[in-house]
């Protein structure tokens, strides 16, 4: 039996708060002149340990200090080389052989070799590490020579390379650092092989990365990356306009994107951020097909997605992000509002609550309000409930008071559909927040796990998605793009769909010459 895996919910949006006046008396040199990139975090780093922390905004920093064997290529879900220059997979799908790049070293001068990979994988696989589940199917790792690493799996796992490519996937750490320091040391220190070194860890205030001069890959454009912690989005916007920072990586108000001030521009890229709703099992929405059709009519994302996001989101095609798979037949919300209102009247009325976590994104807040208004238009008594921070993870222990629909914007661990179905939708999945269960859909999704033909695999997952929606257990609403607002001329941001929105690749970003 496969282990349960963990993904991440959207806990990376700070509400638009009070704008604090910024001093404009001192005008700093532009980052291009200083060769310094300044990108703020809204949420502080909990831990820099790549094996033992589920960071969100810090992904870009961690993934520029540490490298894995493979990685997703910017702007796509294609997998390319990192510390492994090539790899082969056995015909039975049980053996993966990786050939390491030549000449790579860690920031402490230790060479990157197969022994270092083994030490890092042993650390990642330890039961004490939060992210050990990425290696759940690995039964053995060997190093036949200094440049070769061989992974043996317990069962064929077509998603294995995706797990290794994940932004939270296994990284390779200097074996000297592992041996010479206690595990807790890595929470605020780092010795990787990436294009940048961690040189300043000032919790709650600022982090600094400096270019690693002996990096084995392409040299970064910037010499230094400064990462101040600025929780208030209004303050970030003021500092961006003043030239004190170079980007607002996430949470820039959607409504303001159409008219950015002079000197600012945006980069939009595909993302796996999916806005969807969990439906409370046993609620009228889940139990009554006519009422469910009426509610879906009112909640049709074709009505409201553009009002919130403008051109930077589209109605969802299924319960899987559009950048993950495109179903042959997209989900079809009913559209007859008169029939929907008649169904509610025939049922003697309907009351529903729509909830979302207080740590959620502002677009989730807006979507909940619009949905309540749409439901009212067909005679539903709809109430929006803001759940306390973290409460969404305890809904199964409080089902009597749980909302009928819980909205969230989520991103999976990796680009394989298994990391969406097996985390959010299947019975017992760790982020199946309402405890929904549909065995016939589980059977299809679990069967799709081992399919190597991508078209057949995607068709199977799309079929499972249809069943979950038809049963009224989950409702997909919007595929949301990754949008970064930044100084004019900043380019090659290296955004990747699987990364949480706003994670700029410090190794590729540059100013146009």
């Amino acid at each position: 039996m496969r282990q349960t895996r963990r993904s991440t919910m959207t806990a990376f949006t700070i509400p638009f708060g009070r704008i604090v006046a910024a001093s404009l008396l001192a005008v700093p040199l532009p980052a291009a002149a200083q060769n310094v990139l300044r990108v703020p975090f809204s949420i502080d780093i909990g831990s820099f340990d790549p094996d033992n922390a589920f960071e969100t905004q810090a992904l870009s920093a961690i993934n520029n200090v540490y490298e894995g064997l493979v990685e997703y290529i910017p702007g796509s879900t294609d997998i390319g080389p990192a510390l492994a220059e090539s790899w082969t997979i056995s015909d039975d799908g049980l053996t993966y052989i990786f050939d390491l790049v030549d000449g790579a070293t860690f920031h402490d001068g230790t060479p990157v070799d197969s022994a270092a990979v083994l030490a890092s994988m042993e650390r990642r696989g330890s039961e004490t590490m939060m992210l050990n589940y990425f290696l759940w199917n690995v039964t053995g790792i060997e190093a036949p020579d200094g440049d070769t690493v061989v992974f043996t799996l317990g069962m064929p796992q077509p998603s294995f390379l995706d797990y290794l490519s994940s932004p939270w996937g296994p990284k390779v750490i200097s074996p000297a650092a592992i041996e010479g320091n206690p595990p807790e040391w890595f929470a605020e220190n780092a010795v990787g092989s990436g294009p940048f070194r961690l040189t300043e860890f000032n919790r709650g205030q600022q982090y600094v990365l400096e270019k690693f001069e002996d990096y084995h890959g392409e040299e970064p454009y910037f010499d230094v990356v400064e990462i101040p912690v600025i929780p208030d989005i209004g303050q970030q916007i003021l500092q961006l306009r003043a030239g004190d920072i170079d980007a607002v990586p996430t949470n820039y108000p959607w409504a303001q994107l159409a008219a950015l001030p002079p000197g600012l521009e945006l980069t939009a890229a595909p993302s796996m951020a999916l806005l969807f709703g969990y439906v409370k099992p046993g609620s009228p929405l889940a139990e009554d097909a006519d009422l469910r059709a009426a509610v879906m009519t009112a909640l049709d994302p074709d009505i409201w997605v553009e009002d919130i996001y403008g051109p930077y989101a589209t109605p969802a095609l299924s319960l899987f992000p559009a950048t993950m798979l495109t179903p042959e037949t997209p989900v079809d919300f009913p559209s007859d509002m008169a029939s929907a209102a008649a169904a509610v009247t025939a049922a003697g009325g309907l009351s529903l609550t729509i909830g979302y976590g207080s740590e959620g994104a502002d677009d989730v807040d807006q979507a909940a309000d619009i949905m309540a208004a749409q439901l009212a238009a067909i005679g539903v008594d709809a109430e929006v409930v803001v759940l306390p921070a973290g409460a969404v993870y305890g809904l199964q222990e409080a089902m009597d008071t749980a909302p009928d629909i819980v909205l969230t914007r989520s991103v999976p661990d990796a680009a394989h559909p298994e990391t969406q179905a097996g985390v959010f939708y299947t019975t017992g999945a760790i982020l199946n927040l309402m405890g929904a269960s549909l065995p016939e859909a589980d059977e299809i999704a679990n069967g799709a796990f081992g399919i190597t033909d991508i078209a057949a695999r995607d068709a199977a997952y799309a079929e499972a998605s249809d069943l979950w929606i038809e049963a009224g257990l989950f409702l997909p609403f919007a595929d949301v793009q990754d949008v970064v607002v930044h100084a004019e001329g900043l380019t090659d941001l290296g955004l990747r769909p699987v990364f949480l929105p706003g994670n700029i690749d410090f190794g590729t970003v540059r100013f146009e010459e």
Side-chain angles (χ1 to χ4, degrees), residues 3 6 47 49-54 119-135 173 178 181-186:
Q3 294 179 358
R6 179 180 177 185
S47 171
D49 191 331
D51 295 327
N52 206 32
F54 223 101
S120 295
M121 296 304 123
E122 181 179 358
R123 183 180 194 269
R124 168 59 73 100
S126 168
E127 61 181 14
T128 64
M129 294 294 142
M130 181 186 299
L131 304 183
N132 60 12
Y133 67 89
F134 278 81
L135 300 177
I173 305 172
I178 295 175
N181 297 285
E184 58 270 19
W185 183 84
F186 290 92

Side-chain angles (χ1 to χ4, degrees), residues 158-182:
S159 62
F160 183 60
L161 286 177
D162 287 280
Y163 271 93
L164 295 185
S165 302
S166 167
W168 299 278
K171 303 298 186 291
V172 183
I173 305 172
S174 166
I178 295 175
E179 184 177 350
N181 297 285

Side-chain angles (χ1 to χ4, degrees), residues 45 84 114 145 172 208 220 262 264 274 299 312 323 367 408 454 461 465 481:
I45 297 176
S114 59
D145 58 54
V172 183
V208 176
L264 302 184
L274 178 69
L299 301 186
Y312 304 111
T323 50
T408 184
I454 293 177
Y461 282 112
S465 172
Q481 292 187 34

Side-chain angles (χ1 to χ4, degrees), residues 190-509:
V191 186
S193 60
F196 287 92
R197 302 180 297 115
L198 176 65
T199 58
E200 181 180 328
F201 192 102
N202 194 353
R203 189 177 295 280
Q205 298 185 48
Q206 177 170 276
Y207 305 93
V208 176
L209 309 180
E210 294 184 6
K211 180 168 66 176
F212 178 41
E213 298 294 345
D214 294 326
Y215 181 55
H216 64 91
E218 185 174 348
E219 181 183 3
Y221 176 89
F222 290 101
D223 295 322
V224 176
V225 179
E226 295 179 351
I227 307 170
V229 179
I230 308 174
D232 183 73
I233 186 63
Q235 183 63 249
Q236 287 190 27
I237 292 171
L238 280 176
Q239 291 198 27
L240 177 62
R241 295 184 66 175
D244 296 329
I245 59 175
D246 299 301
V248 171
T250 188
N251 304 333
Y252 203 99
W254 297 96
Q256 298 181 30
L257 295 177
L260 294 175
L264 302 184
E265 59 185 0
L266 66 79
T267 295
S271 170
M272 288 194 178
L274 178 69
L275 178 68
F276 71 93
Y278 295 88
V279 179
K280 180 179 177 179
S283 75
L285 180 56
E287 296 295 321
D288 188 311
D290 291 337
L291 286 177
R292 179 162 62 252
V295 169
M296 288 183 66
T297 302
L299 301 186
D300 183 359
D302 281 329
I303 299 173
W304 53 266
V305 163
E306 187 175 356
D307 291 338
I308 295 178
Y309 301 102
Y312 304 111
T314 54
L317 304 179
S318 74
L319 285 170
F320 295 86
T323 50
M324 180 179 282
L325 69 84
T326 301
E328 184 175 342
T329 305
V331 60
D332 184 21
F333 282 69
S335 58
D336 189 337
M337 292 289 280
S339 295
V344 173
T345 300
L350 176 64
S351 296
L352 290 177
T353 53
I354 302 173
Y356 62 91
S358 61
E359 68 272 27
D362 60 351
D363 56 313
V364 180
D365 181 353
Q366 295 177 58
D369 288 340
I370 289 177
M371 289 180 184
Q374 288 291 116
L375 289 169
I378 62 168
V380 175
D381 180 13
E383 178 186 7
V384 175
V385 177
V386 182
L387 301 171
V392 293
Y393 303 109
L395 289 174
Q396 292 188 48
E397 287 72 46
M399 291 301 288
D400 289 344
T401 58
D404 294 290
I405 303 173
V406 171
L407 297 180
T408 184
R409 179 151 60 89
S410 68
V411 175
D413 282 343
H416 193 285
E418 180 231 344
T419 65
Q420 183 82 5
V423 170
F424 298 106
Y425 310 135
T426 55
T427 302
I430 193 167
L431 290 181
N432 184 340
L433 299 180
M434 294 284 206
S437 178
L438 192 65
E440 54 266 44
D442 292 348
E443 183 177 358
I444 294 170
N446 291 334
F449 168 79
I451 298 176
T452 55
D453 180 86
I454 293 177
R457 176 200 75 186
D458 289 354
Y461 282 112
E463 182 181 359
S465 172
D466 289 341
L467 291 176
W468 281 313
I469 296 170
E470 290 168 5
L473 299 179
F474 308 95
L475 294 175
F477 294 117
D479 286 293
V480 185
Q481 292 187 34
D482 188 353
V483 178
V484 177
V485 177
H486 53 79
E488 199 170 46
L490 200 66
T491 188
D492 293 342
L493 272 63
L495 303 175
R496 292 167 167 83
V498 181
F499 279 60
L500 289 173
N503 277 277
I504 297 168
D505 188 338
F506 302 141
T508 64
V509 65

